[in-house]
Amino acid sequence: MNIRSLRPSKSRRAPSRQERMAPLATLPVFYKLEGKKVLIAGGSEAAAWKAELLAAAGAKVHVYAEQLDPVFADLIAATAVPGAYVWHQRPWSAQCLASMQIAICDAESDGEAQAFYCAARAAGVAVNVIDKPAWCEFQFGSIVNRSPAVIAISTDGAAPILGQAIRRRIETLVPPALAAWAQLAQSIRTAVNDRLAPGPQRRAFWEGFVDRAFGAAPDRHAPEELLRQANAIKLAGSQGEGRVTLVGAGPGDAELLTLKAIRALQAADVILFDDLVSGEVLELARREARRMLVGKRGGRESCKQDDINATMIALAKAGKHVVRLKGGDPMIFGRAGEEIARLQDEGIAVSVVPGITSALAMAAQLGVSLTHRDQAQSVRFVTGHSRNGELPNDLDWAGIADRRTTTVFYMGGRTAGEIATRLTENGMDPSMPVVISRSVARKGFERWTGTLRDLGEGMTIIGYDEPVLVGVGSVFAALSESHVGVTSGQVAAVG
């Protein structure tokens, strides 16, 4: 088939390259300072921290101060690098700024800050005045140091404590061994580039490298093993081998993605995404990746499953890494079985990254345990419609009607009334608590709580224009006791 036939719809057009980059408060730039001269005006402890940072980057730090804080003096005395610091025991002057790359001042007053800023600008030197954003051309962010991999976080001076919190979170995600892997990457990059052509071949190699880099530190045999892998990729052909990864996007909240899902999105050449995948999730994908909407929604024009399968096959055979991005979990009512079988028939490598299915996100959002030991011994996820849009005719209604089972119906909005009838006919008490959750883990979340006898009426109230989950079981009794009807907004934190 013509793989261009699947295009983003007008209602969910993929953003252009320009639209994908939101405005930046500051431009993140990594500046090489090895052997360059920088100026520090002031001998305070705050100035010492900036001086230590600049010296760590290889700069020659010229300090202009009549006196040094003991912390600063100890820093200079302890350095093992000759000439890393030069202390000029006098105040700064405009003449000192000649030939400097960067100038930093710990000013005692706004007047000194303004004078330093103006002198530095006149000399063409980038300037920072500590704790005075109005007189700064650049800021120092929080740093995660896995050099040569360096991560910097900036809040543009608005909330330094937030930057520190982000740094702590990243520290837990980036193992210290990553520094050794980054050094190894530097050492083999030329050899890898000599072996592999730009594009899919090199990307395939470095994706494999990254998977290893987030594990244990490399051993002494790692360079030889990696170069053997590069040779194997080269022998596989100039186009490289394509593959497909089925990725669970979760119910909508990007914070519920797994780390493995994010890595897959960052490694994709093409992303085929469902209509229910949120823009926040897509924003985490590699910016160069082609994005194609292949959504299927009840009552709306949808892409045919055969066309989706054919598109994945065509792209993978063209050497692309295809990410099939599905709302929720791929293996829960996501037609993953059909797609996996079709890809395997074509000899295409396929893997699965699970996601949080909507029923579990609903339970977290409502603060309800689906298997509360006093109320339910099992839980069922049941499809609310078949291929023809009606209830499947082979459901075990007697089992579903068990009062000790919690049941969550997916895609059951338009069949809610019939669900209530079938359950009642099979012995379920019409007063059994039920909940309808709309737009779970998304903006616009609403819930309706009531009883089984009123389920059809509740569905009419909640509406059919957004996806819903229907929960049936005693575990929802507390919700019904506290409130009957529609409730909007977040009821409980998700995650």
Side-chain angles (χ1 to χ4, degrees), residues 86-124:
V86 180
W87 180 23
H88 305 271
Q89 200 169 356
R90 65 180 187 273
W92 70 273
S93 66
Q95 291 74 25
C96 302
L97 292 162
S99 74
M100 296 293 173
Q101 295 290 315
I102 288 174
I104 296 169
C105 178
D106 190 6
E108 295 183 358
S109 66
D110 287 344
E112 183 185 3
Q114 183 177 8
F116 187 84
Y117 174 85
C118 293
R121 292 299 301 122

Side-chain angles (χ1 to χ4, degrees), residues 122-140:
V125 179
V127 58
N128 174 282
V129 180
I130 298 172
D131 290 336
K132 296 187 183 298
W135 307 111
C136 293
E137 285 189 306
F138 66 93
Q139 293 87 32
F140 289 85

Side-chain angles (χ1 to χ4, degrees), residues 248-258 275-278 280-281 326-329 355-365 410 438-443 467 469 494-495:
D253 186 348
E255 291 189 356
L256 297 180
L257 280 177
T258 66
D275 192 68
L276 294 179
V277 173
S278 69
E280 291 78 10
V281 170
K326 295 172 173 285
D329 181 273
I356 293 178
T357 190
S358 298
L360 301 184
M362 178 188 74
Q365 196 158 13
Y410 285 64
R438 161 187 167 136
S439 299
V440 171
R442 294 170 175 271
K443 184 178 180 181
L469 294 176
V494 178

Side-chain angles (χ1 to χ4, degrees), residues 192-325:
V192 170
N193 289 348
D194 288 342
R195 287 167 170 78
L196 301 178
Q201 282 195 343
R202 289 186 188 173
R203 189 157 56 250
F205 172 84
W206 290 114
E207 286 172 7
F209 178 94
V210 167
D211 287 340
R212 296 182 60 180
F214 281 86
D219 59 29
R220 61 188 180 88
H221 301 295
E224 293 82 3
E225 293 174 7
L226 289 166
L227 292 178
R228 282 197 296 270
Q229 291 175 12
N231 289 334
I233 292 173
K234 181 178 181 180
L235 291 174
S238 59
Q239 181 172 265
E241 294 185 1
R243 58 194 173 103
V244 175
T245 306
L246 308 184
V247 175
D253 186 348
E255 291 189 356
L256 297 180
L257 280 177
T258 66
L259 295 177
K260 195 167 186 177
I262 293 174
R263 288 205 294 271
L265 288 171
Q266 288 289 318
D269 296 308
V270 183
I271 299 170
L272 307 184
F273 64 96
D274 282 346
D275 192 68
L276 294 179
V277 173
S278 69
E280 291 78 10
V281 170
L282 285 172
E283 187 64 26
L284 297 172
R286 189 168 73 96
R287 298 197 178 278
E288 296 82 3
R290 181 182 178 190
R291 306 173 191 199
M292 303 171 67
L293 172 62
V294 293
K296 297 184 289 294
R297 290 282 294 276
R300 303 183 188 180
E301 184 179 352
S302 302
C303 294
K304 296 180 180 179
Q305 186 62 49
D306 288 344
D307 289 343
I308 297 172
N309 294 343
T311 300
M312 287 192 293
I313 292 167
L315 291 167
K317 287 188 174 181
K320 306 297 184 183
H321 177 195
V322 181
V323 164
R324 176 70 175 96
L325 190 59

Side-chain angles (χ1 to χ4, degrees), residues 36 47 73 132 149 164 175 188 223 256 304 314 443 458 468 478 481:
K36 305 291 179 61
K132 296 187 183 298
Q164 295 167 18
I188 66 172
L256 297 180
K304 296 180 180 179
K443 184 178 180 181
V468 300
E481 290 169 2

Side-chain angles (χ1 to χ4, degrees), residues 28 94 200 204 248 276 279 319 340 374 381 388 425 479:
L276 294 179
I340 291 171
D374 295 332
F381 299 157
N388 58 15
E425 290 174 348
L479 295 177

